Amino acid sequence: MGRKFFVGGNWKMNGSKDEIKKIVDTLNAASLNDNTDIVVSPPACYLEYTKGLASQKIHTAGQNSYKVAKGAFTGDLSPQMLLDCGADWVILGHSERRNVFGEDDQLIAEKVSYALECGMSVIACIGEKLEEREAGKTEEVVFKQIEAIAAKVTNWDKVVVAYEPVWAIGTGKTATPQQAQEVHAQLRKWLKEKVSEAVANSTRIVYGGSVTGGNCRELAQSPDIDGFLVGGASLKPEFIEIINAKA
Ligand code: 13P
């Protein structure tokens, strides 16, 4: 069976009620490919608001969640809270969490494990920095990142892997389809060797990093690119073209 195309919009720390209403109204009015899973990820305080506005085919995701249900963890959120606000997905391990907030592989893996245990679907992000790519360490870095996550995952049905090279995020410098395909193929091979052939065949590996309406179709042609995780362009009407990149 083919892998269903997946497009996520990571709004990061952007948006207001007014802006979100405009974005969601535009999405609701558009013709969106039924063969694409669509998820938008607003700041957590707008999850319920976004969910209330969005049509049924648009799912919502938190941008982070902690590894326990509740307690003295000021400023943090649990998967249960996200579920309570209508989110069935959560983005974990984003490079901004790793590099701005210092989250390491171990913490991210524990968060992935706990969110899955709570019944959420997870967009697990990995990706190398520019200096790591230039040093020829891309595979080493992404394998180490996925290895930490894989060690804590028992059921891959609810995991989407997002390959987001850090040098391509928010820079306008998209990976070429060849560069992205190469890493996606390596990741799939890794899953086949270290997890199972079935998991390698069924797990969606999506690309993130300066995806736009202009470059999405070419990227979507690559056999191992199963969709996108989109930042800046997911706040704009061109997100519709990205959702429909495979149509
Ligand atoms: P941009 O699409 O803005 O480069 O962001 C990508 C990203 O970080 C999605 O999670």
Side-chain angles (χ1 to χ4, degrees), residues 133-149:
R133 173 163 282 262
E134 286 175 343
K137 291 188 172 162
T138 298
E139 278 173 30
E140 186 187 318
V141 170
V142 297
F143 287 172
K144 185 171 162 284
Q145 292 169 333
I146 199 170
E147 187 173 21
I149 292 165

Side-chain angles (χ1 to χ4, degrees), residues 17-150:
K17 286 191 178 174
D18 274 356
E19 286 164 354
I20 288 171
K21 177 141 178 29
K22 284 193 192 110
I23 297 166
V24 176
D25 282 350
T26 307
L27 290 177
N28 285 345
S31 163
L32 304 176
N33 190 350
D34 283 334
N35 297 318
T36 303
D37 278 334
I38 307 163
V39 178
V40 295
S41 187
C45 58
Y46 298 124
L47 271 173
E48 208 162 8
Y49 178 70
T50 305
K51 180 80 185 165
L53 293 173
S55 75
Q56 279 209 330
K57 56 177 127 175
I58 302 172
H59 290 250
T60 49
Q63 297 178 10
N64 191 17
S65 61
Y66 198 48
K67 60 178 179 175
V68 295
K70 60 181 179 175
F73 302 103
T74 303
D76 230 313
L77 289 166
S78 66
Q80 287 87 344
M81 292 169 183
L82 296 177
L83 286 163
D84 210 20
C85 292
D88 43 1
W89 287 83
V90 61
I91 300 171
L92 291 170
H94 192 278
S95 77
E96 287 142 22
R97 297 304 319 172
R98 291 175 184 270
N99 299 317
V100 182
F101 298 99
E103 294 189 10
D104 63 15
D105 282 341
Q106 187 56 32
L107 176 61
I108 291 160
E110 286 170 4
K111 289 178 171 199
V112 168
S113 167
Y114 189 63
L116 291 170
E117 200 182 298
C118 294
M120 299 204 84
S121 298
V122 172
I123 304 164
C125 306
I126 58 176
E128 83 287 1
K129 296 180 192 164
L130 183 60
E131 60 266 31
E132 292 165 337
R133 173 163 282 262
E134 286 175 343
K137 291 188 172 162
T138 298
E139 278 173 30
E140 186 187 318
V141 170
V142 297
F143 287 172
K144 185 171 162 284
Q145 292 169 333
I146 199 170
E147 187 173 21
I149 292 165

